[in-house]
Amino acid sequence: MRAVRMTAPGVLEHAEVPTPQAGPGEVLLRVGAVGACHSDLHILDAPEGVFPIPMTLGHEIAGTVDTVGAGVDGWSPGDRAAVYGIIGCGRCRACLRGEENRCRVIPVGGIGLSRDGGLAEYVVVPASRLLPVGDMDMTQAAPLTDAGLTPYHAVELARPRLRPGTSCVVIGIGGLGHMGLQILLATTAVRIIAVDTNTAALDLAGRLGAHHVVQAGPDAVDKIRELVGPAPDGADVVLDFVGAQPTLDTARQVVATGGQILLVGLAGGTLPVRPVADEPPPVPLETGVVVPFWGTRAELHEVIALARAGRLHADVQTFPLAEAPQAYEALRRGDVRGRAVIVP
């Protein structure tokens, strides 16, 4: 079968590989679509030894069951499903609570991270990782598994502060950010302030329903402060889907005392957190800082329900499998609108 594999650090190549076979408890999935994620770029850029090589990338997968292995119940050939990509140990306290994204034994493991992923015509996954998607378009179902799930999980972590009438700043209206904005609109009654450098992204945020849009730049903090008020007041929650130094600096300067910053993006910025009497403080007093990671299977079930109800829609740019390397190059350049989705 055709696949796109990481064959060395930073090297993504087309390959012909044997079609895998489903073992006990597994299914062979015919891939319908797979999202291209910024975390894939971090996998590509990682030093040798951090991730298996060679490995087929792609952890944001939807497809159709082709065959089922021994002992699999509840799934039959032809069933359409999304893949929950995390594979925890299943035994630690976090996994036993259903929080496999917090596994205390396996640091970062899963499909497309520690074993072959979905950038291929077929992928083998444990049957326990599948969730039904009904008649959803595969290019919509695939992004739900990360671009939908990760912001949903972040919103869930912040939900105690997302009370009706509060303010939430959403930084970065890209693959995850535009989904997070919709999740806020569908599940809360907060005032949403969308921030991005790109005018097209801000236009998208406005069309989706953001209450205010702010162009990122030297005066962004002042513009946001005009909306949320002066310190010690401010935004109750800041969701940073970029994670670069300028966005983190914006986040800490607009969050309210007692607010919360959720650092979702992976762009490598640093947030200074220290208890000092500086004025203004590096981070306001009583402010919570959380680094969300992916989400739970139960949360993915809810994300799929939102999408099937018409409350969540991914803005996608599709690429054929033959152009997967070009899709990642476009992602690295920042040239992708919404979510890049690769179709075998």
Side-chain angles (χ1 to χ4, degrees):
M1 69 173 184
R2 296 175 300 135
V4 177
R5 292 167 67 78
M6 179 173 66
T7 56
V11 180
L12 197 59
E13 295 182 323
H14 291 279
E16 286 287 337
V17 298
T19 301
Q21 303 297 310
E26 297 179 327
V27 303
L28 177 66
L29 198 72
R30 185 171 71 252
V31 177
V34 56
C37 181
H38 269 98
S39 57
D40 292 329
L41 298 179
H42 289 271
I43 294 171
L44 281 166
D45 294 342
E48 188 169 1
V50 176
F51 295 98
I53 294 176
M55 180 175 69
T56 302
L57 293 187
H59 57 267
E60 207 173 78
I61 309 165
T64 304
V65 174
D66 185 87
T67 57
V68 300
V72 173
D73 293 319
W75 293 99
S76 302
D79 289 345
R80 306 171 86 254
V83 177
Y84 177 71
I86 299 174
I87 300 177
C89 72
R91 301 182 302 276
C92 70
R93 283 181 291 173
C95 286
L96 291 173
R97 289 195 300 265
E99 298 171 342
E100 292 169 275
N101 57 316
R102 297 178 177 180
C103 180
R104 299 188 177 193
V105 175
I106 301 173
V108 180
I111 298 153
L113 291 97
S114 58
R115 56 185 281 170
D116 284 338
L119 278 181
E121 294 178 277
Y122 294 89
V123 63
V124 166
V125 300
S128 62
R129 305 298 95 179
L130 298 184
L131 287 89
V133 296
D135 60 356
M136 284 188 64
D137 187 306
M138 290 294 179
T139 62
Q140 285 295 310
L144 299 179
T145 62
D146 184 355
L149 175 57
T150 298
Y152 187 88
H153 177 63
V155 169
E156 284 295 296
L157 293 174
R159 197 166 295 283
R161 288 180 172 90
L162 294 170
R163 311 302 299 174
T166 58
S167 296
C168 180
V169 174
V170 180
I171 303 177
I173 312 301
L176 273 66
H178 88 286
M179 301 289 271
L181 193 156
Q182 294 176 75
I183 290 163
L184 286 167
L185 288 165
T187 66
T188 76
V190 302
R191 181 176 57 151
I192 301 169
I193 302 164
V195 182
D196 204 291
T197 58
N198 188 298
T199 55
L202 293 176
D203 289 343
L204 174 61
R207 293 196 304 273
L208 291 173
H211 302 96
H212 305 277
V213 297
V214 173
Q215 182 99 34
D219 59 350
V221 169
D222 290 340
K223 290 182 177 179
I224 296 168
R225 277 290 175 192
E226 290 175 4
L227 298 168
V228 300
D233 201 355
D236 299 271
V237 173
V238 180
L239 292 163
D240 185 351
F241 290 106
V242 181
Q245 195 59 54
T247 63
L248 288 174
D249 287 341
T250 297
R252 67 182 181 85
Q253 291 178 75
V254 302
V255 69
T257 294
Q260 189 172 26
I261 298 171
L262 293 104
L263 173 51
V264 186
L266 301 174
T270 301
L271 187 68
V273 180
R274 57 184 185 272
V276 294
D278 295 353
E279 185 57 44
V283 173
L285 297 173
E286 293 283 317
T287 297
V289 178
V290 182
V291 182
F293 175 63
W294 226 335
T296 69
R297 277 187 288 174
E299 289 169 336
L300 180 54
H301 177 79
E302 293 167 2
V303 169
I304 293 169
L306 275 179
R308 295 187 69 180
R311 305 296 299 276
L312 183 60
H313 181 86
D315 183 38
V316 301
Q317 185 175 346
T318 58
F319 298 81
L321 185 63
E323 296 179 10
Q326 292 91 322
Y328 282 102
E329 290 169 8
L331 187 64
R332 194 183 293 276
R333 293 192 305 268
D335 290 342
V336 172
R337 182 198 71 248
R339 196 59 156 179
V341 176
I342 297 162
V343 181

